[in-house]
Amino acid sequence: MEDSVQTRWFQNDNPRRLRFPAHGKAVVTCLLLSHDRIISASDEHSIHIYSLLTGQLIHTLKGHTGGVWCLATTRDTLVSGSSDSTVRVWDLSTGRCTHVFKGHTNTVRCLTIVKPEWLDWPKEPLIVSGSRDNSMRVWLLPRPNDKEYTNRKTDEPAAYEDVGDNPYHKHRLAGHEHAVRALAARGRTLLSGSFDCTVRVWDIITGQCRWVLHGHTQRVYTVALDAARNKAYSGSMDGTVRIWDLHSGECRHILTGHTSLVGLLGLSPSRLVSAAADDTLRVWNPDTGELQYTLSAHTGAITCFQHDDFKVVSGSEGSLKMWDIRDGREVRDLLPGITGVRQVVFKGPWCVAASVTGDGSVIDVWDFAGEGDDSWVEDDSEDEEDNSPGTSQIR
């Protein structure tokens, strides 16, 4: 089935397409594709849930009082982080906010869900949130039937809550000297990238910092964790990508070639992809750091991308392009002449992008499976986490 899906991406020149307005004049900051739902968030407080098949607005999630900058989901649970300094947990089936976590004292800029693995930690699902207050916090992920928790001081500033009273709070991870901009986690290993120019490696269970990875000379914007190879990857405003050995904490490779901010990294089993404000993406060998291809047909800074072992879909200030990752060839331009693509995500035969037009933000959906074929919609019984890797906007 996977080969059939990939074939359709490359051979279907006229995929079924749907466009609908989203979030008015606000900027779409996050975009997820989860089962048969599109989940989008904006810099003006709102989170929307749309039908993947029809574009119909199913729920508007209300509660945040600041822009929403990060999302993660698993099954019917959504977690969001905002400039109002809170982490909120939502029931996607009802659109209701069930939990509000306070403790951060500045914008929650990144978060991830860490789930149990066979014979490995954690024993229960966790949320990790990273903030402009220079810290991270580890929380238990509420179970679907847990009693709601919003704290009686919900309307007060986050700093006023004693997290010791919150039964879901596990750890505060401190050590960074500037904002935490990026997170990646697997098992009990957590990576954090910071504007203090360092990457830190943490034990998520004990809360202890295992390594402080020094080398970047400017802010770190993005990190990726490779559990199979026991490596970490980081991208920085200094224009480099670094490959780190998690056994020793040593930098094994410095990947050069980008000429400005490397704001996004994506990792698949056989490819590492970096995207930069220099209008290019680069495809690397994640073992050796060898450059395989430079993708250079964009005419503006790369704002978002996602890839697998067959293709890359990347957005910029002027277009949304699809590439063949196996040979670096540009396959098609999905949105030529667009004002600006802010987010993109794909899964199976579906591709979803949020962009800016003269009338405001819009969402486009492409279905490469073919007209009338809805058999590719995911079964809601699947328990697949989506932290939207590689789709964050460069800011």
Side-chain angles (χ1 to χ4, degrees):
M1 182 178 291
E2 179 67 18
D3 288 343
S4 176
V5 172
Q6 298 300 340
T7 298
R8 296 189 189 204
W9 270 86
F10 286 94
Q11 294 184 352
N12 188 348
D13 294 326
N14 188 30
R16 182 170 48 171
R17 181 176 170 185
L18 174 69
R19 169 175 282 191
F20 52 90
H23 299 279
K25 297 293 185 180
V27 173
V28 175
T29 55
C30 309
L31 188 67
L32 298 181
L33 181 53
S34 177
H35 301 293
D36 59 349
R37 296 173 292 225
I38 298 168
I39 307 170
S40 63
S42 80
D43 61 355
E44 291 186 353
H45 315 171
S46 59
I47 303 172
H48 289 172
I49 314 298
Y50 302 96
S51 165
L52 174 63
L53 297 178
T54 67
Q56 178 183 356
L57 180 63
I58 301 171
H59 295 297
T60 296
L61 309 188
K62 297 180 179 180
H64 281 301
T65 58
V68 180
W69 289 101
C70 45
L71 297 175
T73 184
T74 179
R75 303 196 74 165
D76 281 335
T77 299
L78 177 72
V79 184
S80 59
S82 167
S83 58
D84 65 14
S85 306
T86 69
V87 173
R88 287 178 176 257
V89 181
W90 311 81
D91 182 338
L92 287 173
S93 65
T94 63
R96 183 176 179 83
C97 179
T98 59
H99 297 73
V100 181
F101 295 160
K102 295 190 172 185
H104 286 298
T105 57
N106 206 327
T107 298
V108 179
R109 193 58 182 83
C110 47
L111 60 81
T112 188
I113 295 172
V114 189
K115 300 178 73 174
E117 297 187 19
W118 186 64
L119 294 181
D120 200 1
W121 295 87
K123 299 301 184 185
E124 299 180 90
L126 301 173
I127 302 165
V128 184
S129 54
S131 170
R132 286 180 178 156
D133 66 10
N134 307 352
S135 75
M136 290 151 289
R137 292 184 181 269
V138 181
W139 321 81
L140 284 174
L141 178 71
R143 290 173 292 229
N145 296 322
D146 279 2
K147 182 179 179 181
E148 293 188 6
Y149 178 88
T150 57
N151 193 289
R152 64 182 180 278
K153 300 177 181 178
T154 289
D155 295 330
E156 298 181 13
Y160 292 168
E161 177 171 333
D162 180 1
V163 292
D165 294 337
N166 185 338
Y168 295 95
H169 187 261
K170 300 290 289 183
H171 301 295
R172 177 178 181 267
L173 308 183
H176 281 299
E177 297 177 359
H178 212 304
V180 178
R181 180 59 174 78
L183 297 173
R186 180 78 182 269
R188 64 187 300 160
T189 300
L190 170 71
L191 298 180
S192 59
S194 170
F195 283 0
D196 67 8
C197 308
T198 70
V199 177
R200 287 179 175 250
V201 184
W202 307 82
D203 184 318
I204 198 173
I205 305 304
T206 66
Q208 297 300 306
C209 181
R210 291 169 44 199
W211 300 107
V212 181
L213 309 181
H214 294 279
H216 285 296
T217 58
Q218 296 187 52
R219 295 174 171 181
V220 176
Y221 270 77
T222 180
V223 295
L225 176 62
D226 191 339
R229 297 179 176 88
N230 209 35
K231 290 180 178 178
Y233 309 87
S234 57
S236 166
M237 188 180 281
D238 64 17
T240 69
V241 176
R242 287 178 176 255
I243 301 179
W244 310 88
D245 185 328
L246 293 180
H247 283 300
S248 64
E250 296 179 357
C251 180
R252 293 300 187 191
H253 303 283
I254 303 174
L255 313 187
T256 60
H258 285 299
T259 58
S260 59
L261 163 66
V262 180
L264 297 169
L265 290 176
L267 183 68
S268 67
S270 62
R271 303 286 198 282
L272 173 70
V273 179
S274 58
D278 63 7
D279 308 351
T280 71
L281 301 97
R282 290 176 177 253
V283 182
W284 315 85
N285 182 313
D287 288 303
T288 66
E290 177 188 3
L291 177 64
Q292 296 178 333
Y293 303 106
T294 300
L295 312 183
S296 57
H298 282 289
T299 58
I302 310 303
T303 54
C304 53
F305 84 90
Q306 185 176 334
H307 83 281
D308 56 23
D309 276 340
F310 297 89
K311 62 188 177 295
V312 180
V313 180
S314 57
S316 72
E317 291 302 326
S319 59
L320 179 69
K321 294 183 180 293
M322 175 184 165
W323 316 78
D324 190 327
I325 201 171
R326 297 164 294 185
D327 58 14
R329 174 177 56 93
E330 180 185 351
V331 177
R332 59 170 55 94
D333 196 335
L334 290 165
L335 280 176
I338 194 74
T339 301
V341 181
R342 294 294 177 248
Q343 303 290 332
V344 67
V345 63
F346 64 75
K347 187 175 292 185
W350 302 94
C351 181
V352 182
S355 55
V356 177
T357 70
D359 296 326
S361 295
V362 297
I363 290 177
D364 286 279
V365 182
W366 293 265
D367 172 14
F368 285 90
E371 184 68 32
D373 183 356
D374 297 336
S375 61
W376 302 100
V377 177
E378 291 177 289
D379 183 348
D380 281 339
S381 66
E382 294 180 16
D383 187 9
E384 183 177 353
E385 174 194 354
D386 191 343
N387 286 313
S388 194
T391 60
S392 297
Q393 184 179 4
I394 297 180
R395 278 180 174 264

